[in-house]
Amino acid sequence: MVFIAVSLPMLSLDSQSSFRADLEGHTNNIHCLAKAVNSIAAAMFTIYGKGRVTIEERLKEFLALASSSLLKLGQETDKLALRSRESVYLLLDQIVRESPFLTMDLLESCFPYALLRNSYHAVLRQDNRM
């Protein structure tokens, strides 16, 4: 889970990671990661987490790591690295929306909602240009 959380920013390097509003998903299907992360976490921490840490606590840690690594993208100045940044921000939002264990309040405590709102706006504006 840590590997996935710290690897999310790498998806912004791929031009195919762009979010398409008409598809309600990303062109390279990274939106499927949201369902996969939640399913794997539920299965893994149900089997191996008995009597220890709950699924919710582990996913909170995942969210904190993922948010931190994605917020570092905001400090990036390389245009190539920023190609699909907004779309990857939206992936984090999708992970939380599809999770039965995470809430939007928790996301907002780790990741500013203003960035998500601006990302939706930028993606929709870019989609309208096409």
Side-chain angles (χ1 to χ4, degrees):
M1 295 300 291
V2 171
F3 177 75
I4 295 170
V6 298
S7 298
L8 286 178
M10 299 302 289
L11 294 171
S12 68
L13 296 173
D14 186 5
S15 63
Q16 293 295 312
S17 292
S18 60
F19 184 83
R20 299 243 338 250
D22 58 335
L23 298 175
E24 294 183 12
H26 297 79
T27 52
N28 65 352
N29 293 327
I30 63 170
H31 57 275
C32 296
L33 282 174
K35 183 65 106 182
V37 164
N38 287 308
S39 297
I40 290 170
M44 189 168 56
F45 298 128
T46 298
I47 294 170
Y48 296 110
K50 291 182 180 172
R52 287 182 259 159
V53 181
T54 65
I55 300 169
E56 291 87 358
E57 291 171 351
R58 290 294 181 194
L59 279 174
K60 286 177 186 178
E61 291 173 2
F62 169 81
L63 187 60
L65 279 171
S67 298
S68 174
S69 59
L70 286 175
L71 286 172
K72 289 179 184 174
L73 276 178
Q75 299 170 349
E76 193 71 42
T77 58
D78 183 20
K79 295 253 188 215
L80 188 63
L82 301 177
R83 189 179 317 175
S84 299
R85 177 180 64 185
E86 287 85 9
S87 296
V88 177
Y89 287 169
L90 299 183
L91 176 62
L92 186 64
D93 183 47
Q94 287 177 330
I95 290 172
V96 173
R97 287 181 191 270
E98 291 190 18
S99 175
F101 308 106
L102 298 172
T103 63
M104 291 304 289
D105 291 337
L106 186 61
L107 175 62
E108 198 168 338
S109 70
C110 300
F111 196 83
Y113 184 75
L115 280 177
L116 288 175
R117 185 184 63 236
N118 291 343
S119 296
Y120 275 112
H121 182 70
V123 166
L124 289 173
R125 190 171 6 131
Q126 183 181 8
D127 218 23
N128 287 338
R129 289 182 193 164
M130 295 179 145

